[in-house]
Amino acid sequence: KHHVGILISGRGSNMAALVEASRSSDCPYEVVLVASDKPAAPGLAWAADNGIATFAKSPKGMAKAEYEAAIDAALREARVQTIALAGYMRLLSDAFVARWRGRIVNIHPSLLPKYKGLDTHARAIAAGDTKAGASVHIVTEELDGGAVLGQAEVQIHRDDTPETLAARVLEEEHRLYPKVLAEFVTR
Ligand code: GAR
């Protein structure tokens, strides 16, 4: 199977969805490493409890290049072929992106190219949009700017708050990401 490494910063619900999908015998990828820049990320504990190798390292007090070299070494040690970002809230350097060119994917909670960056659901509601969603895309040097591989849409309800909308989108993320990743690694 194709070796996937997942980078997370927090809850890790998309990571868990990817791991759960990978357990099906016809899934073309396996998750060989879950790494986090936040050693206390709840998702890391979930991964360890579920038998996945984990790597935790805070970037505090390190130069970005040094920090990314440590992550890169852990990914290579695990023979990772594709990196899936799943709520990884740190920007990867141009050098790191170049080193893994075309082999990093991300899930972003908006219908890209709309609402790159943060607070996507609040911005969609404030704009009066009637639909929102999530996108899986290739990571390039441009924030949330690489080619879109797949999207899922939800309706925005009149009484939605950013939180209620986020919850509705998140359910779709958990369906979308495993499907798109499986397609991506067998492309
Ligand atoms: C997800 O909604 C993901 O799309 C978003 O963070 C959440 C992580 O949740 N990602 C970004 O905002 C990336 N800039 P999770 O940790 O439960 O998967």
Side-chain angles (χ1 to χ4, degrees):
K1 288 196 177 189
H2 187 99
H3 281 191
V4 168
I6 305 181
L7 301 189
I8 65 169
S9 295
R11 181 175 57 187
S13 70
N14 277 289
M15 175 275 298
L18 292 174
V19 168
E20 272 161 3
S22 77
R23 290 178 173 146
S24 141
S25 60
D26 59 2
C27 183
Y29 68 83
E30 70 179 298
V31 178
V32 295
L33 185 70
V34 172
S36 176
D37 60 323
K38 299 260 195 281
L44 263 188
W46 186 93
D49 287 347
N50 282 270
I52 316 281
T54 59
F55 176 83
K57 194 173 183 67
S58 162
K60 280 198 194 104
M62 292 175 91
K64 184 153 189 144
E66 186 192 354
Y67 180 68
E68 287 185 342
I71 301 217
D72 187 77
L75 292 166
R76 284 172 196 279
E77 169 87 8
R79 305 209 177 288
V80 166
Q81 296 167 277
T82 295
I83 301 173
L85 307 183
Y88 185 68
M89 301 310 277
R90 195 167 292 281
L91 277 177
L92 296 169
S93 71
D94 289 0
F96 187 94
V97 171
R99 198 156 154 74
W100 288 87
R101 165 111 29 233
R103 298 191 293 146
I104 312 174
V105 297
N106 179 44
I107 188 156
H108 179 75
S110 78
L111 295 172
L112 290 173
K114 285 188 127 177
Y115 312 126
K116 297 173 180 175
L118 298 175
D119 300 323
T120 55
H121 302 306
R123 288 154 68 200
I125 291 169
D129 292 0
T130 57
K131 60 188 190 177
S135 307
V136 177
H137 66 93
I138 296 187
V139 172
T140 64
E141 289 82 350
E142 190 202 336
L143 175 69
D144 301 325
V148 172
L149 300 169
Q151 291 184 315
E153 277 184 22
V154 304
Q155 296 299 313
I156 298 181
H157 300 168
R158 226 189 313 275
D159 59 353
D160 264 330
T161 63
E163 291 73 27
T164 61
L165 179 55
R168 190 173 316 114
V169 171
L170 191 66
E171 277 187 46
E172 294 304 320
E173 293 186 43
H174 297 162
R175 273 190 278 275
L176 176 71
Y177 209 175
K179 175 173 79 90
V180 174
L181 184 61
E183 287 164 4
F184 181 73
V185 304
T186 51
R187 73 202 181 283

